[in-house]
Amino acid sequence: MIDELTKEIEGVRRSFLNEIEQIQSPEKLAALKERFLSRKKGIVGQQLLKLRDCTTAEKPVAGQLINQLKLFIETELAGTEEKIGARPSTQEQWSDCSLPASDLPIGRFHLIAEIQRQIEELFLNLGYEIAYGPEVELEEYNFTALNIPEFHPARDEQDTFFLDGFDNTVLRTHTSPMQVRYMLAQRPPLKIISPGKAFRKDDPDATHSPCFHQVEGLLVDRGVNFSHLKGTLEVFCRSFFGPDVNLRFRPGYFPFTEPSAEVDISCFMCSGRQPDCKVCKGSGWLEILGSGMVHPQVLRNCGIDPEIHSGFAFGMGIERVAMIKFGVPDLRLLYENDLRLLGQFG
Ligand code: DAH
């Protein structure tokens, strides 16, 4: 019996394929469907009736063969339906309102935007204002007023994008020119952060990108000293990375601050206790930002008397903060727009 049925089913399959290949119109397709699959008189239904003649041992095998045939026919019908642009009739287009809704993907901020917003919120809570600046900047503000003279290597063509046909204009190489813009426009006391894009002629690799993001900070008032800078950065780093984080100030050099310091935080992952820590590579410290007391010449360049006012400034890379905080191993991942990255780290 099974052998006979197998042959018959193969025959049905072939004749179905022969017919469906000729079909061009939705009406003919509907008729074919009716002939093979209709409940009462459909050809597949007829095969099912033959189960009655099978032995108990044969029944499951025969049932499976017929089901496979049915599935095959359904799949072919759906494929052709799509190919010839046939739509199911309105009668067939019903929906079951009691089914749970399918998941809609929920949007979220990109990691860089997310970190920027968190930093903004933190400093807003400390009474800072947010000042966004232009990405196309005057050489004067990007370099000269920040005490970076014409022969300084930071201006080198290898670092800076100059703009054809616009003298004295560059894509800003850092967010620090906003210090100059703000000090020229406002009188102390000043308290701002300035987040945004910066550009350098770097080849992309795991830690470099020709376009990246920074946040600049500036505070100018009477009697501001290094301990104010230290306290502010401690509050920021502990709120951002965790209350147990320690800070290390290393002497550094920036032309626009004196003294200058590079700031490391203790590794929030292992606190320096694990030599094989993936985050700090066993050193126990993570370099996080540059900072210092605003150079008196920079204050003077902006019309502020350094005998009366003093200030501190700091600057950090948002990508660097994102990579440290979320353990993103390669900077380029942040620009590839792969939604899985957001799902994993966001
Ligand atoms: N502009 C510096 C850079 O791009 C970062 C920086 C360092 C900003 C020290 C500051 C600062 O305001 O005080 O590397």
Side-chain angles (χ1 to χ4, degrees):
M1 180 69 204
I2 270 290
D3 288 348
E4 213 174 292
L5 195 69
T6 311
K7 262 189 222 149
E8 241 175 78
I9 286 175
E10 184 50 26
V12 173
R13 202 177 73 88
R14 282 223 199 103
S15 75
F16 172 80
L17 264 184
N18 263 342
E19 289 195 48
I20 199 164
E21 268 163 20
Q22 325 284 330
I23 280 183
Q24 303 288 352
S25 75
E27 293 74 28
K28 289 209 169 127
L29 191 68
L32 184 73
K33 186 175 182 179
E34 174 76 13
R35 205 144 54 70
F36 276 83
L37 295 184
S38 103
R39 276 237 183 127
K40 282 185 199 148
K41 288 191 218 134
I43 296 175
V44 175
Q46 298 296 317
Q47 297 296 323
L48 275 175
L49 291 180
K50 293 187 182 149
L51 284 180
R52 277 187 293 195
D53 307 328
C54 292
T55 64
T56 326
E58 284 172 336
K59 264 185 194 157
V61 186
Q64 201 182 6
L65 284 172
I66 298 168
N67 271 334
Q68 277 167 355
L69 173 70
K70 188 171 170 226
L71 197 69
F72 173 79
I73 290 176
E74 283 170 346
T75 315
E76 288 294 316
L77 282 168
T80 309
E81 203 165 276
E82 203 166 299
K83 203 167 75 194
I84 65 173
R87 292 258 162 271
S89 71
T90 38
Q91 231 180 357
E92 283 171 280
Q93 278 180 3
W94 63 279
S95 54
D96 181 350
C97 305
S98 66
L99 285 175
S102 52
D103 278 349
L104 281 178
I106 297 176
R108 60 177 95 188
F109 286 111
H110 188 275
L111 284 193
I112 293 176
E114 176 66 32
I115 295 276
Q116 181 175 324
R117 292 168 78 94
Q118 287 179 14
I119 295 173
E120 286 179 0
E121 191 166 319
L122 233 143
F123 279 99
L124 281 174
N125 285 335
L126 293 175
Y128 283 67
E129 279 178 56
I130 298 174
Y132 300 103
E135 290 164 9
V136 176
E137 186 55 278
L138 297 173
E139 249 183 282
E140 165 76 15
Y141 294 171
N142 195 83
F143 296 125
T144 323
L146 286 170
N147 224 9
I148 305 174
E150 220 163 305
F151 53 81
H152 196 285
R155 291 194 179 208
D156 202 299
E157 236 179 288
Q158 280 152 15
D159 290 327
T160 308
F161 288 110
F162 294 89
L163 282 118
D164 275 352
F166 292 91
D167 282 349
N168 312 320
T169 312
V170 296
L171 292 188
R172 64 178 178 189
T173 57
H174 50 177
T175 45
S176 303
M178 261 316 276
Q179 291 188 25
V180 179
R181 283 184 175 271
Y182 208 77
M183 285 192 277
L184 285 173
Q186 309 278 334
R187 294 295 88 198
L190 313 170
K191 230 175 148 185
I192 57 157
I193 61 161
S194 183
K197 288 194 180 78
F199 307 84
R200 281 181 211 172
K201 234 173 148 192
D202 281 327
D203 288 329
D205 64 22
T207 51
H208 292 87
S209 159
C211 168
F212 54 101
H213 299 74
Q214 289 190 332
V215 178
E216 189 75 16
L218 173 73
L219 184 146
V220 182
D221 204 343
R222 286 168 191 262
V224 178
N225 59 43
F226 203 90
S227 59
H228 296 118
L229 170 64
K230 216 171 155 230
T232 304
L233 293 180
E234 265 170 15
V235 168
F236 165 69
C237 289
R238 293 198 175 132
S239 318
F240 201 77
F241 292 104
D244 300 327
V245 151
N246 280 322
L247 270 67
R248 177 170 80 171
F249 287 75
R250 277 182 293 115
Y253 170 71
F254 299 102
F256 37 91
T257 43
E258 179 61 33
S260 303
E262 311 226 15
V263 180
D264 304 334
I265 56 165
S266 58
C267 179
F268 56 87
M269 208 62 178
C270 76
S271 307
R273 280 189 225 105
Q274 282 170 20
D276 55 349
C277 174
K278 284 212 177 71
V279 177
C280 68
K281 312 243 163 21
S283 76
W285 296 98
L286 299 159
E287 188 181 324
I288 194 90
L289 52 81
S291 66
M293 301 306 293
V294 182
H295 197 292
Q297 188 55 44
V298 173
L299 292 174
R300 255 181 246 120
N301 292 344
C302 301
I304 294 174
D305 184 350
E307 296 299 324
I308 302 173
H309 290 105
S310 54
F312 66 70
F314 56 87
M316 66 188 127
I318 297 185
E319 282 84 352
R320 171 138 189 88
V321 173
M323 286 169 80
I324 289 178
K325 186 154 176 170
F326 295 112
V328 181
D330 189 317
L331 180 94
R332 286 166 293 192
L333 289 170
L334 294 171
Y335 302 119
E336 278 171 3
N337 288 336
D338 186 336
L339 287 176
R340 287 173 302 178
L341 180 95
L342 297 180
Q344 187 178 347
F345 299 110

